[in-house]
Amino acid sequence: MIESNRNKDLEKRIEAYVDGNLSPSEIDELWAELLDNEYYYDYMKSVASLKKISEDRESESKLQRTESQKTVWLSAAAAILLMFGAATIFNISTEPSETVSPISSIELDYYRSADGNVADDVKSDVVRQAISTANTGDVAKALSLINEELQKDNSEYKEAELLITSGSILYNSGRFSEAISRFETALEIDYDDMMLRERNYWYLGNAYFQVNKLDEAKFALEQAFELNGAYSRVAQSYLRALSVR
């Protein structure tokens, strides 16, 4: 569990921002915090993605309700169609969405302080360099930098960070099987940062989802959910959706 590491106030403000319920000054304050916190910046994108899924689902539901009403008025068997339409609407509103998709890409960015400067104490130089290189499109060089660093004697945390970063680069390149291998290897390391571990499971679950290994995806997402961190809610939503597949 990582309950003690959660910033519940920040999570609430992120959700309020996504819902359009923050003032301009509150938005500025929120972004100042997010620029210095990649974990919650990534969380904000997940909340926004989840909201879009929910809105798309609601839009589809309204469209189907409208079509159902038209059918009721035009059909001679109005009573039967009304019953069918009500059952259909009930299913739409109560069943989990079946349209969720794995995340299209993993954000590769630096941690930044409130003044916009890169925070030197957050990522290793090699990780920052690899991310910068990958962002220019030179994936091979970025992976080479990380692979060279992995040959050295690193701390458990840095080893996991290097593997997760390289897995993210591979994921964004569409090399999902290779990304899975990196994420799985990172999980074999006994590092203490539960936020990093939670993200590791979240990325792994999405990578499995990309290659249609849904049982494995569910397992990884369950681990992310059970860690009860910032990804818990979005992981739960994905699990509900995957359960009806």
Side-chain angles (χ1 to χ4, degrees):
M1 302 292 287
I2 56 174
E3 187 74 25
S4 61
N5 292 331
R6 292 179 62 184
N7 187 331
K8 293 183 179 179
D9 175 68
L10 182 55
E11 289 176 23
K12 288 180 180 178
R13 285 187 287 129
I14 288 172
E15 291 164 12
Y17 168 65
V18 171
D19 289 336
N21 295 326
L22 289 187
S23 67
S25 61
E26 289 172 327
I27 292 173
D28 290 342
E29 182 180 348
L30 174 63
W31 272 102
E33 293 183 57
L34 291 177
L35 288 172
D36 195 32
N37 192 324
E38 186 180 32
Y39 180 81
Y40 276 108
Y41 174 66
D42 207 16
Y43 170 73
M44 181 194 68
K45 293 192 300 176
S46 296
V47 171
S49 176
L50 185 59
K51 178 178 173 62
K52 184 178 186 304
I53 290 170
S54 177
E55 289 174 345
D56 290 346
R57 174 182 163 195
E58 177 63 22
S59 177
E60 291 175 4
S61 176
K62 288 179 179 178
L63 178 59
Q64 291 191 38
R65 284 198 295 268
T66 300
E67 292 301 321
S68 178
Q69 289 169 354
K70 289 179 181 178
T71 303
V72 168
W73 286 107
L74 293 173
S75 174
I80 296 174
L81 289 176
L82 276 170
M83 292 175 62
F84 177 78
T88 302
I89 293 167
F90 178 79
N91 287 333
I92 291 170
S93 61
T94 58
E95 289 294 329
S97 171
E98 296 185 49
T99 60
V100 296
S101 301
I103 55 176
S104 59
S105 64
I106 295 172
E107 183 73 13
L108 293 175
D109 202 356
Y110 308 109
Y111 286 100
R112 295 181 181 273
S113 60
D115 60 5
N117 295 320
V118 175
D120 294 330
D121 59 343
V122 180
K123 286 186 179 294
S124 69
D125 289 339
V126 171
V127 169
R128 289 203 304 269
Q129 187 177 355
I131 289 174
S132 176
T133 302
N135 282 337
T136 67
D138 196 343
V139 171
K141 183 177 179 180
L143 293 173
S144 177
L145 288 168
I146 292 178
N147 290 338
E148 288 177 12
E149 193 70 11
L150 284 169
Q151 302 303 313
K152 301 178 182 179
D153 185 18
N154 300 301
S155 67
E156 286 84 357
Y157 177 88
K158 184 177 179 181
E159 189 86 359
E161 181 189 37
L162 288 164
L163 287 164
I164 294 170
T165 301
S166 59
S168 300
I169 293 171
L170 289 163
Y171 185 103
N172 291 351
S173 301
R175 296 158 64 177
F176 302 118
S177 295
E178 294 174 78
I180 287 169
S181 177
R182 295 292 175 114
F183 294 143
E184 287 182 333
T185 302
L187 286 170
E188 295 172 0
I189 300 172
D190 186 22
Y191 59 91
D192 295 330
D193 192 310
M194 289 298 100
M195 287 185 174
L196 183 63
R197 187 171 294 277
E198 182 197 18
R199 187 184 300 173
N200 196 162
Y201 275 121
W202 169 247
Y203 292 165
L204 176 59
N206 277 275
Y208 275 130
F209 196 174
Q210 289 280 12
V211 296
N212 205 36
K213 292 186 175 181
L214 299 188
D215 288 340
E216 292 87 344
K218 289 176 187 177
F219 178 79
L221 293 170
E222 283 170 358
Q223 306 313 303
F225 169 70
E226 290 176 4
L227 283 169
N228 198 28
Y231 285 93
S232 180
R233 191 176 71 169
V234 68
Q236 184 180 46
S237 176
Y238 271 59
L239 286 168
R240 286 173 177 167
L242 289 172
S243 70
V244 300
R245 287 175 174 262

